[in-house]
């Protein structure tokens, strides 16, 4: 393993500011970031990667490799919540298992953005269709998690009248703020072409890393707060989380080899598969599976999966893809 990549990633300003944010909680600083600012930063990052992805789609013709990658994204978004549910059921009730499985089936846009910044620092880029793949992966897991929960309730209660509110569920899954701004920016970036990119580039690219750094400061604060809940999560969930992340990475790398993705696209795909949602899924689970405890699914996604990916996961995946797996 080339530890130079891992060290450079840890010493990258966004990652260092993540640690700085954790220090706010550990050292009991009075630094606070308001909810409105945090929401703006989240929407900005989604807007920027969506717009850049649309611009890349405008420049690059759609190829067979792109279609295969999008199919792979959909496969992982549907497969991961199903198999991970059965792993969590060894210790958890069906509601918490379903919600947690949904988190793993969905994605973390901030992990995706951090991986993109890592790639850029090494002179690699990813193509715009990967952003479309990210948009495709965010919603299906929410729907599958709710279906699994309702089937579990129906089986336990023996009540066949247990219904899924499809209209509300699908609206939440496909028109939530994160999905809406990501897909909308992707379309605008594609339709506006080169002139649109030149107009917005100072906002979408030039200040991007600075705002990403500030956002990871905020996420460091959130992660440290959730770490207080780790004792409630238990060794089983820590161990099962690591196992699921490992399985997802292995499957994802295997798919990148079949499709023959270039290293930039391959890393972003692996990162999507290895991440877990701590924004879109928790928001949906709060209303769709209220019996599930946020102290479980939010803590696992934000305080275990997210730090592992941005601190050591991204450089490890990059090393495996570029050296061991032979991606170009």
């Amino acid at each position: 393993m080339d530890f130079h990549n891992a060290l450079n990633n840890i010493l990258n300003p966004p990652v260092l500011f993540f640690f700085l944010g954790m220090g706010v909680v550990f050292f009991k600083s009075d630094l606070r970031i308001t909810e409105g600012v945090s929401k703006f930063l989240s929407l900005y990052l989604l807007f920027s990667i969506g717009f850049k992805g649309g611009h890349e789609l405008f420049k690059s013709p759609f190829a067979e490799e792109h279609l295969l990658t999008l199919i792979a994204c959909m496969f992982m978004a549907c497969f991961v919540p199903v198999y991970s549910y059965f792993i969590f059921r060894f210790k958890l009730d069906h509601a918490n298992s379903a919600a947690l499985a949904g988190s793993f089936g969905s994605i973390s846009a901030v992990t995706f953005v951090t991986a993109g910044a890592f790639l850029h620092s090494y002179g690699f880029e990813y193509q715009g269709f990967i952003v479309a793949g990210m948009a495709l992966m965010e919603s299906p897991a929410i729907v599958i998690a709710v279906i699994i929960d309702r089937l579990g309730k129906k089986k336990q209660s023996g009540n066949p009248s247990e219904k899924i509110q499809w209209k509300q569920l699908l609206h939440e899954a496909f028109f939530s703020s994160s999905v809406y701004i990501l897909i909308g920016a992707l379309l605008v970036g594609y339709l506006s072409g080169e002139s649109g990119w030149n107009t917005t580039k100072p906002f979408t690219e030039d200040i991007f890393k600075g705002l990403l750094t500030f956002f990871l400061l905020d996420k460091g604060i959130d992660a440290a707060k959730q770490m207080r809940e780790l004792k409630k999560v238990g060794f089983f969930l820590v161990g099962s989380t690591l196992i699921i992340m490992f399985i997802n990475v292995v499957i994802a790398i295997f798919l990148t080899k079949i499709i023959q993705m270039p290293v930039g696209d391959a890393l972003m795909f692996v990162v999507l598969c290895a991440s877990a949602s701590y924004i879109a899924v928790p928001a949906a689970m709060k209303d769709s599976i209220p019996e599930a405890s946020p102290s479980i699914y939010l803590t696992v996604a934000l305080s275990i999966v997210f730090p592992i990916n941005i601190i050591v996961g991204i450089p490890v995946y990059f090393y495996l893809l570029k050296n061991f797996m032979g991606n170009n």
Side-chain angles (χ1 to χ4, degrees), residues 129-271:
F129 73 93
I130 288 289
V131 179
M134 179 176 68
L136 287 174
M137 292 180 76
E138 187 159 24
S139 299
I142 296 174
V143 177
I144 291 173
V146 175
I147 291 173
I148 290 173
D149 175 66
R150 296 299 187 273
L151 291 175
K153 285 180 179 177
K154 186 180 294 187
K155 183 177 179 180
Q156 283 189 347
S157 65
N159 179 14
S161 64
E162 186 72 46
K163 295 181 179 180
I164 300 173
Q165 301 297 323
W166 285 108
K167 184 178 180 180
Q168 178 183 348
L169 174 61
L170 293 175
H171 187 274
E172 178 65 34
F174 294 101
F175 291 97
S176 62
S177 59
S178 57
V179 177
Y180 189 81
I181 191 67
L182 181 65
I183 295 177
L186 184 78
L187 291 173
V188 172
Y190 178 76
L191 294 173
S192 59
E194 202 64 38
S195 61
W197 173 250
N198 292 333
T199 301
T200 61
K201 185 178 178 182
F203 183 68
T204 54
E205 183 164 301
D206 294 347
I207 66 171
F208 180 84
K209 194 166 185 177
L211 291 182
L212 169 63
T213 300
F214 199 74
F215 185 68
L216 284 182
L217 171 70
D218 180 42
K219 291 300 104 182
I221 296 173
D222 290 342
K225 288 178 179 177
Q226 288 299 132
M227 280 183 178
R228 298 171 180 172
E229 302 291 327
L230 281 178
K231 59 184 178 181
K232 298 179 182 179
V233 169
F235 289 111
F236 166 76
L237 280 181
V238 174
S240 59
T241 292
L242 295 176
I243 290 171
I244 290 171
M245 289 180 70
F246 176 77
I247 293 172
N248 290 349
V249 168
V250 170
I251 295 174
I253 290 177
F254 179 69
L255 290 173
T256 68
K257 294 304 296 180
I258 293 176
I259 300 172
Q260 297 184 332
M261 297 184 202
V263 65
D265 298 339
L267 177 65
M268 302 309 282
F269 176 70
V270 172
V271 164

Side-chain angles (χ1 to χ4, degrees), residues 45-78:
L45 293 176
L46 290 168
F47 161 77
S48 294
I49 60 178
F51 198 92
K52 182 178 180 181
H55 175 246
E56 292 298 324
L57 284 175
F58 173 80
K59 293 195 303 180
S60 306
F62 197 79
E64 181 183 359
E65 171 208 326
H66 303 161
L67 177 61
L68 291 175
T69 301
L70 294 180
I71 292 173
C73 288
M74 286 297 296
F75 167 74
M76 292 298 288
C78 297

